[in-house]
């Protein structure tokens, strides 16, 4: 039995307060996260009780006792094969649609999870019940990572990209959440189903969002002024929720919720806007001038359409970067997350109330 499975906490509900039902056997059965296969000559490191470093290996992450029960969901999953001997400084090679992966940011975010776990905080939450997972094993590869901010502060829910073939949690998920959290806000990172297209993934987003709002008091987050953040495929998902207005989450199987205070979209080809008589939420949009997957002109057409429809939009285009640049550290895009947070703060309907 794997370290993850032995140390996972069993429960029959999806309520707040447990570690996780997830283990290596369940994830392998689900097909959503590929089990780690040991290559010839691979070494197995003993579990550690310290922070991770960029020279540590994937196996160190998987066996870390403070990440037990959910460690495999930190990796891209899907059809991406993982060498347990790979160094964390090489983790960008697991995300082929992405660029500018910054290993120190990855490790800093992982160490934040370790610190929070040691402090007694629950950092991973299930969105689906055990019964739902039994009926659909692919739901085993879903959930929410949580970086808690000020009690009662608004939350951001982040959907990483990956072309619906993997989830770039380590690049467009936790590093974003860490920066958002440093401003005092609560931040969640979605892990969703892959290999099935956009509709099931967006349903996972709607269910996760409903879960957070439903359990807002237990999680110590505000159920108002929340924002949705997405990159690439994740941006398609958050835009789809926002475009359907007050029916966005319900349209994808979640609860009937107010529309988000803001949507933050990074480099995506999503083109849909709200129907006549409705307006998209305030939207912050970023694109790279060298993007060949979601070209900037596609983004700019949607920005223009949103503005014509009366939506408030802020658009940033960055030189010298292509698709999947994440936080943009060391590039012309560095600092965009702080700009997006300021935009969100400027459109919060209940700010100061």
């Amino acid at each position: 039995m794997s370290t993850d499975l032995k140390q996972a906490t069993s429960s029959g509900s999806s309520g707040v307060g447990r570690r996780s039902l997830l283990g290596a056997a369940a994830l392998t059965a689900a097909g959503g996260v590929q089990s780690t296969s040991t290559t010839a000559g691979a070494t197995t490191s003993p579990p550690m009780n310290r922070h991770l470093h960029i020279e540590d290996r994937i196996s160190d992450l998987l066996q870390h006792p403070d990440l037990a029960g959910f460690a495999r969901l930190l990796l891209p999953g899907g059809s991406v094969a993982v060498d347990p001997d790979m160094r964390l400084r090489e983790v960008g090679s697991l995300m082929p649609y992405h660029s500018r992966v910054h290993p120190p940011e990855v490790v800093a975010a992982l160490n934040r999870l370790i610190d929070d776990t040691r402090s007694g905080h629950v950092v991973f939450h299930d969105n689906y019940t055990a019964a739902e997972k039994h009926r659909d094993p692919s739901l085993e590869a879903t959930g929410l990572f949580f970086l808690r901010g000020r009690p009662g502060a608004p939350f951001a829910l982040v959907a990483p990209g990956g072309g619906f073939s993997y989830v770039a949690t380590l690049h467009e998920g936790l590093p974003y959440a860490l920066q958002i959290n440093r401003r005092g806000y609560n931040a969640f990172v979605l892990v969703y189903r892959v290999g099935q297209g956009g509709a099931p993934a967006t349903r996972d987003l709607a269910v996760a969002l409903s879960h957070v709002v439903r359990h807002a008091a237990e999680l110590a987050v505000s159920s108002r002024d929340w924002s949705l953040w997405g990159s690439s495929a994740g941006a398609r998902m958050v835009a789809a929720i926002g475009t359907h207005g007050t029916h966005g989450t319900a349209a994808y199987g979640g609860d009937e919720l107010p529309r988000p205070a803001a949507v933050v979209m990074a480099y995506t080809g999503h083109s849909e806007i709200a129907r006549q008589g409705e307006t998209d939420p305030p939207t912050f949009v970023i694109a790279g001038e060298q993007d060949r997957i979601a070209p900037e002109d596609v983004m700019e057409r949607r920005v223009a359409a949103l503005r014509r429809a009366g939506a408030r939009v802020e658009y940033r285009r960055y030189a010298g970067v292509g698709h999947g640049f994440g936080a943009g550290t060391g590039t012309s895009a560095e600092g965009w997350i702080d700009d997006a947070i300021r935009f969100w703060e400027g459109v919060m309907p209940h700010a100061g109330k």
Side-chain angles (χ1 to χ4, degrees):
M1 184 178 292
S2 72
T3 302
D4 277 1
L5 191 56
K6 285 189 289 186
Q7 297 192 28
T9 301
S10 297
S11 171
S13 74
S14 63
V16 175
R18 63 197 184 90
R19 281 283 288 256
S20 172
L21 286 170
L22 301 172
L27 292 178
T28 302
V33 177
Q34 183 153 322
S35 61
T36 301
S37 58
T38 303
T39 57
T43 58
T44 301
S45 302
M48 58 176 66
N49 290 294
R50 59 167 174 81
H51 277 171
L52 291 166
H53 303 282
I54 62 172
E55 293 303 321
D56 285 327
R57 302 176 189 274
I58 294 291
S59 59
D60 296 319
L61 183 160
L62 291 172
Q63 297 176 31
H64 200 292
D66 294 310
L67 304 177
F70 52 79
R72 291 177 182 272
L73 286 184
L74 291 162
L75 299 177
S79 60
V80 179
V82 177
D83 178 359
D85 267 356
M86 176 182 286
R87 304 284 182 180
L88 292 179
R89 59 176 162 77
E90 302 170 315
V91 74
S93 65
L94 300 178
M95 295 173 273
Y97 298 146
H98 291 85
S99 61
R100 310 286 184 170
V101 177
H102 193 55
E105 289 178 340
V106 172
V107 170
L110 292 172
N111 287 333
R112 170 60 189 274
L113 293 180
I114 290 169
D115 288 342
D116 281 6
T117 300
R118 290 176 177 175
S119 297
H121 297 308
V122 177
V123 299
F124 184 82
H125 297 272
D126 286 313
N127 303 321
Y128 293 103
T129 65
E132 289 171 319
K133 292 181 179 183
H134 180 74
R135 290 192 296 270
D136 182 356
S138 70
L139 298 178
E140 294 283 0
T142 66
L144 277 175
F145 290 103
F146 179 29
L147 299 187
R148 62 187 62 239
R150 295 190 309 271
F155 69 86
L157 200 161
V158 181
F164 300 117
S165 63
Y166 64 86
V167 183
T169 303
L170 295 178
H171 181 48
E172 295 170 340
L174 289 172
Y176 291 15
L178 191 57
Q179 290 196 42
I180 294 166
N181 183 252
R182 285 170 179 160
R183 299 282 288 270
Y185 297 108
N186 296 286
F188 296 88
V189 178
L190 177 70
V191 182
Y192 53 87
R193 285 172 286 177
V194 297
Q196 303 181 45
T202 307
R203 182 179 189 276
D204 293 340
L205 172 60
V207 169
L209 180 56
S210 302
H211 176 87
V212 173
V213 173
R214 200 181 306 134
H215 294 282
E218 298 164 72
L219 293 165
V221 305
S222 173
S223 60
R224 306 192 301 182
D225 294 333
W226 43 272
S227 61
L228 294 179
W229 298 54
S231 300
S232 194
R236 288 180 176 269
M237 294 158 57
V238 302
I241 295 290
T243 292
H244 285 84
T246 56
H247 305 292
T249 46
Y252 288 94
D255 298 340
E256 193 86 19
L257 299 175
R259 73 177 194 176
V263 168
V264 178
M265 296 175 56
Y267 37 79
T268 186
H270 183 83
S271 58
E272 185 183 7
I273 65 171
R275 295 170 293 184
Q276 188 172 3
E278 296 184 350
T279 304
D280 278 79
T283 304
F284 186 93
V285 182
I286 64 169
E289 289 184 354
Q290 297 179 1
D291 197 326
R292 300 295 178 262
I293 296 177
E296 58 184 301
D297 61 321
V298 175
M299 300 282 286
E300 289 170 358
R301 284 197 295 271
R302 185 170 191 270
V303 166
L306 287 172
R307 287 172 171 162
R308 286 195 300 270
R312 179 172 173 177
V313 183
E314 188 166 323
Y315 172 58
R316 302 291 178 87
R317 182 179 65 187
Y318 300 106
V321 291
H323 193 76
F325 56 79
T329 302
T331 75
S332 63
E334 185 170 351
W336 78 262
I337 293 177
D338 284 336
D339 292 339
I341 294 170
R342 283 190 287 270
F343 176 84
W344 173 28
E345 290 171 337
V347 298
M348 288 183 182
H350 303 96
K353 297 181 182 179

